Amino acid sequence: MNLLIDYLKNRKIEFTENEPMANRTTFKIGGAARLTVLPKSEEEISLTVKKCRELGVRYVVVGNGSNLLVADEGIDACVILLGKNFEEIKLIDDTTVFASAGTLLIKVCTFALEHGLTGLEFAYGIPGSCGGAAFMNAGAYGGEMKDVLYRCDHIDKNGNRGALSGDELKLSYRRSAYYDNGCIVTGLYLKLKKGNKDEIKAKMQELMQRRRDKQPLEYPSAGSTFKRPEGYFAGALIEECGLKGASVGGAQVSEKHAGFVINTGGASCSDVLELCKRVSDTVYKEKGVQLEMEIRVTR
């Protein structure tokens, strides 16, 4: 790790040491990362990945940290943070939008609205970055990224540039090829359609109001805690088991929407995991349905 730090200094690649990951996640939970790199370009990502591979240093990629639960002991690895330096949005043609991986989905939705493009309204209000949305094929309200995403640029695990498109992306429910291939998504290409600005705006506002009405947006969380079991809704199962409001430490099953575990203040990773286990065990015992966590746990 010290050799990696020396390398980053020599290359003038920005980094921090021992930064609390609670500052970098929407859950506001997590210990410090041994090293956090803030690359300014694809080249700096490539150089960092190559050096990590050469030195045998594990690296973890983080965007907006919206689907992430970091261990209380932190991350003993190199965190590559794709944030404000990766926020480019541009039109490729009349109906194709390019967005860098660190761009918040809500910004891309607004960009699409400004250019009279429809197809991305479902994503308005999803609290994640574009890279994370591609990684997990994010979706809501009947839409998902696979409806509009047709190509991703990436840096592979050897530090080389590449891309996947079409069926190569292997987009399925909350999953993509990037779950398994070790590549870092750096940019997305979205194919949208021409639409009516007033209708697009109205749809976005409607979906945002539904989020505000039904989801506990006033508390830190990582979004939907469990994946949707086939034939069921996780939130409904949890509510039917009388678990709304159940808590461990500062972690609580939201009283507003049982599909969300929230941080009511001072929650630890162990609080969240213990509560999720209690919920999962109870639902399985009472309903015979096995819940699977949607949140990624990183240490």
PDB file of all heavy atoms in Angstrom, residues 46-72:
ATOM      1  N   SER A  46      -6.889   3.785 -15.231  1.00  0.00           N
ATOM      2  CA  SER A  46      -6.072   2.718 -15.824  1.00  0.00           C
ATOM      3  C   SER A  46      -4.742   2.562 -15.106  1.00  0.00           C
ATOM      4  O   SER A  46      -4.333   1.445 -14.760  1.00  0.00           O
ATOM      5  CB  SER A  46      -5.844   3.019 -17.308  1.00  0.00           C
ATOM      6  OG  SER A  46      -5.018   2.045 -17.888  1.00  0.00           O
ATOM      7  N   LEU A  47      -4.082   3.669 -14.847  1.00  0.00           N
ATOM      8  CA  LEU A  47      -2.788   3.627 -14.162  1.00  0.00           C
ATOM      9  C   LEU A  47      -2.932   3.054 -12.754  1.00  0.00           C
ATOM     10  O   LEU A  47      -2.096   2.257 -12.309  1.00  0.00           O
ATOM     11  CB  LEU A  47      -2.184   5.035 -14.099  1.00  0.00           C
ATOM     12  CG  LEU A  47      -1.713   5.636 -15.426  1.00  0.00           C
ATOM     13  CD1 LEU A  47      -1.352   7.108 -15.243  1.00  0.00           C
ATOM     14  CD2 LEU A  47      -0.518   4.861 -15.980  1.00  0.00           C
ATOM     15  N   THR A  48      -3.992   3.468 -12.060  1.00  0.00           N
ATOM     16  CA  THR A  48      -4.219   2.983 -10.693  1.00  0.00           C
ATOM     17  C   THR A  48      -4.487   1.481 -10.690  1.00  0.00           C
ATOM     18  O   THR A  48      -3.936   0.738  -9.862  1.00  0.00           O
ATOM     19  CB  THR A  48      -5.398   3.734 -10.052  1.00  0.00           C
ATOM     20  OG1 THR A  48      -5.124   5.142 -10.044  1.00  0.00           O
ATOM     21  CG2 THR A  48      -5.625   3.279  -8.627  1.00  0.00           C
ATOM     22  N   VAL A  49      -5.338   1.020 -11.600  1.00  0.00           N
ATOM     23  CA  VAL A  49      -5.661  -0.405 -11.681  1.00  0.00           C
ATOM     24  C   VAL A  49      -4.411  -1.229 -11.996  1.00  0.00           C
ATOM     25  O   VAL A  49      -4.161  -2.271 -11.376  1.00  0.00           O
ATOM     26  CB  VAL A  49      -6.761  -0.657 -12.736  1.00  0.00           C
ATOM     27  CG1 VAL A  49      -6.885  -2.145 -13.048  1.00  0.00           C
ATOM     28  CG2 VAL A  49      -8.094  -0.104 -12.262  1.00  0.00           C
ATOM     29  N   LYS A  50      -3.639  -0.765 -12.943  1.00  0.00           N
ATOM     30  CA  LYS A  50      -2.420  -1.500 -13.330  1.00  0.00           C
ATOM     31  C   LYS A  50      -1.443  -1.590 -12.164  1.00  0.00           C
ATOM     32  O   LYS A  50      -0.826  -2.634 -11.928  1.00  0.00           O
ATOM     33  CB  LYS A  50      -1.755  -0.826 -14.529  1.00  0.00           C
ATOM     34  CG  LYS A  50      -2.495  -1.040 -15.835  1.00  0.00           C
ATOM     35  CD  LYS A  50      -1.820  -0.323 -17.001  1.00  0.00           C
ATOM     36  CE  LYS A  50      -2.545  -0.600 -18.312  1.00  0.00           C
ATOM     37  NZ  LYS A  50      -1.946   0.117 -19.458  1.00  0.00           N
ATOM     38  N   LYS A  51      -1.303  -0.497 -11.421  1.00  0.00           N
ATOM     39  CA  LYS A  51      -0.370  -0.498 -10.292  1.00  0.00           C
ATOM     40  C   LYS A  51      -0.894  -1.390  -9.166  1.00  0.00           C
ATOM     41  O   LYS A  51      -0.113  -2.115  -8.523  1.00  0.00           O
ATOM     42  CB  LYS A  51      -0.127   0.929  -9.783  1.00  0.00           C
ATOM     43  CG  LYS A  51       1.144   1.066  -8.957  1.00  0.00           C
ATOM     44  CD  LYS A  51       2.375   0.743  -9.813  1.00  0.00           C
ATOM     45  CE  LYS A  51       3.667   0.853  -9.031  1.00  0.00           C
ATOM     46  NZ  LYS A  51       4.830   0.511  -9.871  1.00  0.00           N
ATOM     47  N   CYS A  52      -2.196  -1.331  -8.911  1.00  0.00           N
ATOM     48  CA  CYS A  52      -2.783  -2.215  -7.894  1.00  0.00           C
ATOM     49  C   CYS A  52      -2.529  -3.678  -8.258  1.00  0.00           C
ATOM     50  O   CYS A  52      -2.171  -4.495  -7.398  1.00  0.00           O
ATOM     51  CB  CYS A  52      -4.286  -1.968  -7.769  1.00  0.00           C
ATOM     52  SG  CYS A  52      -4.744  -0.467  -6.876  1.00  0.00           S
ATOM     53  N   ARG A  53      -2.729  -4.006  -9.510  1.00  0.00           N
ATOM     54  CA  ARG A  53      -2.522  -5.385  -9.964  1.00  0.00           C
ATOM     55  C   ARG A  53      -1.048  -5.786  -9.794  1.00  0.00           C
ATOM     56  O   ARG A  53      -0.744  -6.883  -9.324  1.00  0.00           O
ATOM     57  CB  ARG A  53      -2.945  -5.511 -11.427  1.00  0.00           C
ATOM     58  CG  ARG A  53      -2.889  -6.929 -11.964  1.00  0.00           C
ATOM     59  CD  ARG A  53      -3.486  -7.000 -13.366  1.00  0.00           C
ATOM     60  NE  ARG A  53      -3.378  -8.336 -13.934  1.00  0.00           N
ATOM     61  CZ  ARG A  53      -4.227  -9.318 -13.702  1.00  0.00           C
ATOM     62  NH1 ARG A  53      -5.258  -9.125 -12.910  1.00  0.00           N
ATOM     63  NH2 ARG A  53      -4.059 -10.505 -14.265  1.00  0.00           N
ATOM     64  N   GLU A  54      -0.153  -4.889 -10.157  1.00  0.00           N
ATOM     65  CA  GLU A  54       1.280  -5.165 -10.042  1.00  0.00           C
ATOM     66  C   GLU A  54       1.703  -5.391  -8.597  1.00  0.00           C
ATOM     67  O   GLU A  54       2.500  -6.291  -8.296  1.00  0.00           O
ATOM     68  CB  GLU A  54       2.077  -3.990 -10.627  1.00  0.00           C
ATOM     69  CG  GLU A  54       3.586  -4.112 -10.489  1.00  0.00           C
ATOM     70  CD  GLU A  54       4.302  -2.821 -10.847  1.00  0.00           C
ATOM     71  OE1 GLU A  54       3.797  -2.083 -11.719  1.00  0.00           O
ATOM     72  OE2 GLU A  54       5.362  -2.546 -10.254  1.00  0.00           O
ATOM     73  N   LEU A  55       1.116  -4.609  -7.684  1.00  0.00           N
ATOM     74  CA  LEU A  55       1.510  -4.670  -6.268  1.00  0.00           C
ATOM     75  C   LEU A  55       0.660  -5.651  -5.455  1.00  0.00           C
ATOM     76  O   LEU A  55       0.927  -5.862  -4.276  1.00  0.00           O
ATOM     77  CB  LEU A  55       1.406  -3.272  -5.650  1.00  0.00           C
ATOM     78  CG  LEU A  55       2.350  -2.203  -6.218  1.00  0.00           C
ATOM     79  CD1 LEU A  55       2.009  -0.830  -5.649  1.00  0.00           C
ATOM     80  CD2 LEU A  55       3.811  -2.553  -5.920  1.00  0.00           C
ATOM     81  N   GLY A  56      -0.361  -6.222  -6.078  1.00  0.00           N
ATOM     82  CA  GLY A  56      -1.232  -7.145  -5.351  1.00  0.00           C
ATOM     83  C   GLY A  56      -2.136  -6.451  -4.352  1.00  0.00           C
ATOM     84  O   GLY A  56      -2.511  -7.036  -3.332  1.00  0.00           O
ATOM     85  N   VAL A  57      -2.507  -5.204  -4.654  1.00  0.00           N
ATOM     86  CA  VAL A  57      -3.398  -4.436  -3.777  1.00  0.00           C
ATOM     87  C   VAL A  57      -4.836  -4.573  -4.275  1.00  0.00           C
ATOM     88  O   VAL A  57      -5.118  -4.337  -5.451  1.00  0.00           O
ATOM     89  CB  VAL A  57      -2.993  -2.945  -3.749  1.00  0.00           C
ATOM     90  CG1 VAL A  57      -4.029  -2.116  -2.972  1.00  0.00           C
ATOM     91  CG2 VAL A  57      -1.611  -2.766  -3.141  1.00  0.00           C
ATOM     92  N   ARG A  58      -5.735  -4.965  -3.404  1.00  0.00           N
ATOM     93  CA  ARG A  58      -7.150  -5.069  -3.775  1.00  0.00           C
ATOM     94  C   ARG A  58      -7.735  -3.678  -3.957  1.00  0.00           C
ATOM     95  O   ARG A  58      -7.400  -2.745  -3.223  1.00  0.00           O
ATOM     96  CB  ARG A  58      -7.911  -5.808  -2.672  1.00  0.00           C
ATOM     97  CG  ARG A  58      -9.392  -6.046  -2.961  1.00  0.00           C
ATOM     98  CD  ARG A  58      -9.995  -6.976  -1.898  1.00  0.00           C
ATOM     99  NE  ARG A  58     -10.045  -6.364  -0.587  1.00  0.00           N
ATOM    100  CZ  ARG A  58     -11.113  -5.730  -0.088  1.00  0.00           C
ATOM    101  NH1 ARG A  58     -12.212  -5.621  -0.807  1.00  0.00           N
ATOM    102  NH2 ARG A  58     -11.081  -5.232   1.133  1.00  0.00           N
ATOM    103  N   TYR A  59      -8.612  -3.538  -4.969  1.00  0.00           N
ATOM    104  CA  TYR A  59      -9.291  -2.256  -5.139  1.00  0.00           C
ATOM    105  C   TYR A  59     -10.798  -2.463  -5.216  1.00  0.00           C
ATOM    106  O   TYR A  59     -11.288  -3.516  -5.612  1.00  0.00           O
ATOM    107  CB  TYR A  59      -8.776  -1.495  -6.367  1.00  0.00           C
ATOM    108  CG  TYR A  59      -9.018  -2.175  -7.700  1.00  0.00           C
ATOM    109  CD1 TYR A  59     -10.218  -2.013  -8.389  1.00  0.00           C
ATOM    110  CD2 TYR A  59      -8.027  -2.966  -8.282  1.00  0.00           C
ATOM    111  CE1 TYR A  59     -10.431  -2.628  -9.610  1.00  0.00           C
ATOM    112  CE2 TYR A  59      -8.222  -3.588  -9.500  1.00  0.00           C
ATOM    113  CZ  TYR A  59      -9.434  -3.407 -10.161  1.00  0.00           C
ATOM    114  OH  TYR A  59      -9.646  -4.027 -11.368  1.00  0.00           O
ATOM    115  N   VAL A  60     -11.515  -1.438  -4.796  1.00  0.00           N
ATOM    116  CA  VAL A  60     -12.978  -1.439  -4.768  1.00  0.00           C
ATOM    117  C   VAL A  60     -13.442  -0.156  -5.448  1.00  0.00           C
ATOM    118  O   VAL A  60     -12.876   0.914  -5.206  1.00  0.00           O
ATOM    119  CB  VAL A  60     -13.508  -1.465  -3.311  1.00  0.00           C
ATOM    120  CG1 VAL A  60     -15.016  -1.336  -3.274  1.00  0.00           C
ATOM    121  CG2 VAL A  60     -13.052  -2.735  -2.597  1.00  0.00           C
ATOM    122  N   VAL A  61     -14.455  -0.252  -6.288  1.00  0.00           N
ATOM    123  CA  VAL A  61     -14.967   0.919  -7.001  1.00  0.00           C
ATOM    124  C   VAL A  61     -16.243   1.420  -6.333  1.00  0.00           C
ATOM    125  O   VAL A  61     -17.148   0.641  -6.027  1.00  0.00           O
ATOM    126  CB  VAL A  61     -15.251   0.581  -8.479  1.00  0.00           C
ATOM    127  CG1 VAL A  61     -15.724   1.829  -9.226  1.00  0.00           C
ATOM    128  CG2 VAL A  61     -14.005   0.011  -9.139  1.00  0.00           C
ATOM    129  N   VAL A  62     -16.310   2.738  -6.115  1.00  0.00           N
ATOM    130  CA  VAL A  62     -17.484   3.357  -5.491  1.00  0.00           C
ATOM    131  C   VAL A  62     -17.902   4.557  -6.326  1.00  0.00           C
ATOM    132  O   VAL A  62     -17.057   5.339  -6.780  1.00  0.00           O
ATOM    133  CB  VAL A  62     -17.178   3.808  -4.047  1.00  0.00           C
ATOM    134  CG1 VAL A  62     -18.353   4.594  -3.458  1.00  0.00           C
ATOM    135  CG2 VAL A  62     -16.858   2.608  -3.163  1.00  0.00           C
ATOM    136  N   GLY A  63     -19.216   4.694  -6.539  1.00  0.00           N
ATOM    137  CA  GLY A  63     -19.749   5.864  -7.225  1.00  0.00           C
ATOM    138  C   GLY A  63     -20.393   6.784  -6.213  1.00  0.00           C
ATOM    139  O   GLY A  63     -19.725   7.365  -5.367  1.00  0.00           O
ATOM    140  N   ASN A  64     -21.731   6.855  -6.245  1.00  0.00           N
ATOM    141  CA  ASN A  64     -22.441   7.689  -5.275  1.00  0.00           C
ATOM    142  C   ASN A  64     -22.658   6.978  -3.946  1.00  0.00           C
ATOM    143  O   ASN A  64     -23.137   7.565  -2.990  1.00  0.00           O
ATOM    144  CB  ASN A  64     -23.801   8.123  -5.865  1.00  0.00           C
ATOM    145  CG  ASN A  64     -24.485   9.189  -5.044  1.00  0.00           C
ATOM    146  OD1 ASN A  64     -23.873  10.185  -4.693  1.00  0.00           O
ATOM    147  ND2 ASN A  64     -25.760   8.996  -4.751  1.00  0.00           N
ATOM    148  N   GLY A  65     -22.302   5.690  -3.884  1.00  0.00           N
ATOM    149  CA  GLY A  65     -22.447   4.941  -2.633  1.00  0.00           C
ATOM    150  C   GLY A  65     -23.884   4.742  -2.206  1.00  0.00           C
ATOM    151  O   GLY A  65     -24.178   4.631  -1.015  1.00  0.00           O
ATOM    152  N   SER A  66     -24.797   4.656  -3.189  1.00  0.00           N
ATOM    153  CA  SER A  66     -26.225   4.612  -2.855  1.00  0.00           C
ATOM    154  C   SER A  66     -26.771   3.206  -2.671  1.00  0.00           C
ATOM    155  O   SER A  66     -27.898   3.039  -2.225  1.00  0.00           O
ATOM    156  CB  SER A  66     -27.038   5.333  -3.936  1.00  0.00           C
ATOM    157  OG  SER A  66     -26.843   4.722  -5.187  1.00  0.00           O
ATOM    158  N   ASN A  67     -26.014   2.203  -3.037  1.00  0.00           N
ATOM    159  CA  ASN A  67     -26.480   0.819  -2.854  1.00  0.00           C
ATOM    160  C   ASN A  67     -25.438   0.031  -2.080  1.00  0.00           C
ATOM    161  O   ASN A  67     -25.232  -1.150  -2.321  1.00  0.00           O
ATOM    162  CB  ASN A  67     -26.737   0.173  -4.226  1.00  0.00           C
ATOM    163  CG  ASN A  67     -27.549  -1.101  -4.112  1.00  0.00           C
ATOM    164  OD1 ASN A  67     -28.568  -1.132  -3.444  1.00  0.00           O
ATOM    165  ND2 ASN A  67     -27.090  -2.163  -4.752  1.00  0.00           N
ATOM    166  N   LEU A  68     -24.791   0.715  -1.148  1.00  0.00           N
ATOM    167  CA  LEU A  68     -23.589   0.185  -0.517  1.00  0.00           C
ATOM    168  C   LEU A  68     -23.665   0.266   1.003  1.00  0.00           C
ATOM    169  O   LEU A  68     -24.047   1.290   1.563  1.00  0.00           O
ATOM    170  CB  LEU A  68     -22.381   1.001  -1.008  1.00  0.00           C
ATOM    171  CG  LEU A  68     -20.982   0.487  -0.715  1.00  0.00           C
ATOM    172  CD1 LEU A  68     -20.727  -0.851  -1.394  1.00  0.00           C
ATOM    173  CD2 LEU A  68     -19.961   1.510  -1.199  1.00  0.00           C
ATOM    174  N   LEU A  69     -23.288  -0.834   1.639  1.00  0.00           N
ATOM    175  CA  LEU A  69     -23.153  -0.882   3.095  1.00  0.00           C
ATOM    176  C   LEU A  69     -21.715  -1.257   3.409  1.00  0.00           C
ATOM    177  O   LEU A  69     -21.264  -2.355   3.062  1.00  0.00           O
ATOM    178  CB  LEU A  69     -24.118  -1.903   3.690  1.00  0.00           C
ATOM    179  CG  LEU A  69     -24.037  -2.134   5.203  1.00  0.00           C
ATOM    180  CD1 LEU A  69     -24.343  -0.850   5.967  1.00  0.00           C
ATOM    181  CD2 LEU A  69     -24.992  -3.256   5.628  1.00  0.00           C
ATOM    182  N   VAL A  70     -20.988  -0.344   4.033  1.00  0.00           N
ATOM    183  CA  VAL A  70     -19.570  -0.563   4.323  1.00  0.00           C
ATOM    184  C   VAL A  70     -19.404  -1.060   5.755  1.00  0.00           C
ATOM    185  O   VAL A  70     -20.041  -0.567   6.686  1.00  0.00           O
ATOM    186  CB  VAL A  70     -18.768   0.739   4.119  1.00  0.00           C
ATOM    187  CG1 VAL A  70     -17.311   0.553   4.546  1.00  0.00           C
ATOM    188  CG2 VAL A  70     -18.831   1.172   2.659  1.00  0.00           C
ATOM    189  N   ALA A  71     -18.537  -2.039   5.921  1.00  0.00           N
ATOM    190  CA  ALA A  71     -18.287  -2.646   7.227  1.00  0.00           C
ATOM    191  C   ALA A  71     -17.813  -1.611   8.239  1.00  0.00           C
ATOM    192  O   ALA A  71     -17.175  -0.609   7.897  1.00  0.00           O
ATOM    193  CB  ALA A  71     -17.249  -3.763   7.092  1.00  0.00           C
ATOM    194  N   ASP A  72     -18.122  -1.870   9.507  1.00  0.00           N
ATOM    195  CA  ASP A  72     -17.728  -0.947  10.580  1.00  0.00           C
ATOM    196  C   ASP A  72     -16.216  -0.794  10.668  1.00  0.00           C
ATOM    197  O   ASP A  72     -15.709   0.271  11.025  1.00  0.00           O
ATOM    198  CB  ASP A  72     -18.276  -1.439  11.922  1.00  0.00           C
ATOM    199  CG  ASP A  72     -19.791  -1.489  11.947  1.00  0.00           C
ATOM    200  OD1 ASP A  72     -20.424  -0.556  11.401  1.00  0.00           O
ATOM    201  OD2 ASP A  72     -20.347  -2.463  12.486  1.00  0.00           O
TER     202      ASP A  72
END
